[in-house]
Amino acid sequence: AQTVTQSQPEMSVQEAETVTLSCTYDTSESDYYLFWYKQPPSRQMILVIRQEAYKQQNATENRFSVNFQKAAKSFSLKISDSQLGDAAMYFCAYRQNTGNQFYFGTGTSLTVIP
Amino acid sequence: KAGVTQTPRYLIKTRGQQVTLSCSPISGHRSVSWYQQTPGQGLQFLFEYFSETQRNKGNFPGRFSGRQFSNSRSEMNVSTLELGDSALYLCASSLVGSGNTIYFGEGSWLTVV
């Protein structure tokens, strides 16, 4: 089974600074998708960004970008110009090309310090 | 466009009882999947339904079951509740096709006492 590992249970960042959250995964597949979801205190899971494994270019969504290293099976999330509203639990997720089952990491709790 | 709607949002049940949770997907989404979230186990996949058929199932006992209706709405049922079933149950929907993103509802908080 695929596994997703987030080795940082907690992270903190000063407002307006940049923070990087780490994620590694294990798979024997060559075609798959990777995601970062954000879960604020309301517990609503919100999609932050997604990356297709066949694309070499790293995905970017406004202040959020990823560093996708396919050979290393690494998928980190960079948040630039951190805002108080970014405080949440962040989950890295893996999805195979077929089927619709997502595998989630254990999450990283991000605190933004004013 | 309305998001994924889950009902009820909060419920308390007694050990041994059964519970049914409901999920209405985003309009046009025909795939519905369910996840259990607990502090100890994190987010775990329960099952996925598409066109009223279960396509995939996670590693949960048979007490956990689900179904999907012709309008894509889904229900999940947990019978003979145990204390360890206390969790946030998240429903997610998506379009059908390779690589589609899943969109989550706000979840149903189940407490078993």
Side-chain angles (χ1 to χ4, degrees):
Chain A
Q2 283 74 14
T3 57
V4 178
T5 302
Q6 293 179 250
S7 58
Q8 306 154 315
E10 297 178 347
M11 292 281 286
S12 62
V13 61
Q14 290 286 145
E15 196 175 0
E17 296 296 310
T18 296
V19 65
T20 299
L21 309 183
S22 301
C23 172
T24 58
Y25 57 94
D26 184 27
T27 183
S28 58
E29 303 290 327
S30 60
D31 198 9
Y32 49 86
Y33 300 83
L34 297 165
F35 303 80
W36 280 97
Y37 280 88
K38 165 185 174 182
Q39 188 178 44
S42 69
R43 308 310 293 269
Q44 170 89 58
M45 294 279 280
I46 301 165
L47 174 69
V48 175
I49 199 165
R50 59 172 272 164
Q51 173 81 44
E52 292 85 351
Y54 63 84
K55 289 187 177 179
Q56 291 186 330
Q57 186 172 6
N58 290 324
T60 299
E61 287 287 342
N62 301 314
R63 298 182 293 108
F64 299 87
S65 61
V66 299
N67 183 4
F68 173 47
Q69 302 290 328
K70 191 173 184 178
K73 297 179 182 175
S74 171
F75 183 59
S76 62
L77 174 70
K78 186 171 82 170
I79 306 174
S80 304
D81 185 26
S82 295
Q83 301 176 359
L84 296 177
D86 295 334
M89 184 73 83
Y90 285 81
F91 291 94
C92 177
Y94 166 98
R95 177 194 185 279
Q96 291 177 190
N97 187 34
T98 56
N100 211 13
Q101 180 173 351
F102 279 58
Y103 298 87
F104 287 88
T106 51
T108 297
S109 178
L110 177 66
T111 300
V112 180
I113 303 167
Chain B
K1 197 181 227 185
V4 178
T5 304
Q6 291 187 245
T7 57
R9 292 292 318 283
Y10 304 91
L11 65 166
I12 300 173
K13 290 287 187 177
T14 303
R15 194 169 49 181
Q17 288 185 314
Q18 74 165 18
V19 66
T20 299
L21 308 178
S22 179
C23 172
S24 293
I26 292 171
S27 178
H29 287 194
R30 295 167 59 196
S31 170
V32 174
S33 50
W34 289 87
Y35 290 81
Q36 181 197 63
Q37 186 176 22
T38 60
Q41 299 297 318
L43 277 152
Q44 292 189 291
F45 173 77
L46 280 156
F47 28 64
E48 183 213 355
Y49 285 87
F50 169 68
S51 288
E52 303 176 61
T53 301
Q54 187 181 87
R55 286 209 299 190
N56 206 354
K57 189 178 192 311
N59 189 26
F60 278 82
R63 300 185 296 108
F64 291 81
S65 63
R67 59 177 176 169
Q68 186 180 36
F69 302 94
S70 58
N71 62 358
S72 296
R73 188 177 70 86
S74 177
E75 289 181 348
M76 69 161 282
N77 183 276
V78 188
S79 62
T80 318
L81 285 166
E82 300 177 0
L83 297 179
D85 296 333
S86 296
L88 176 66
Y89 289 88
L90 291 165
C91 172
S93 74
S94 73
L95 294 168
V96 177
S98 176
N100 281 310
T101 302
I102 57 173
Y103 297 90
F104 286 88
E106 293 180 292
S108 291
W109 280 100
L110 171 63
T111 301
V112 182
V113 297

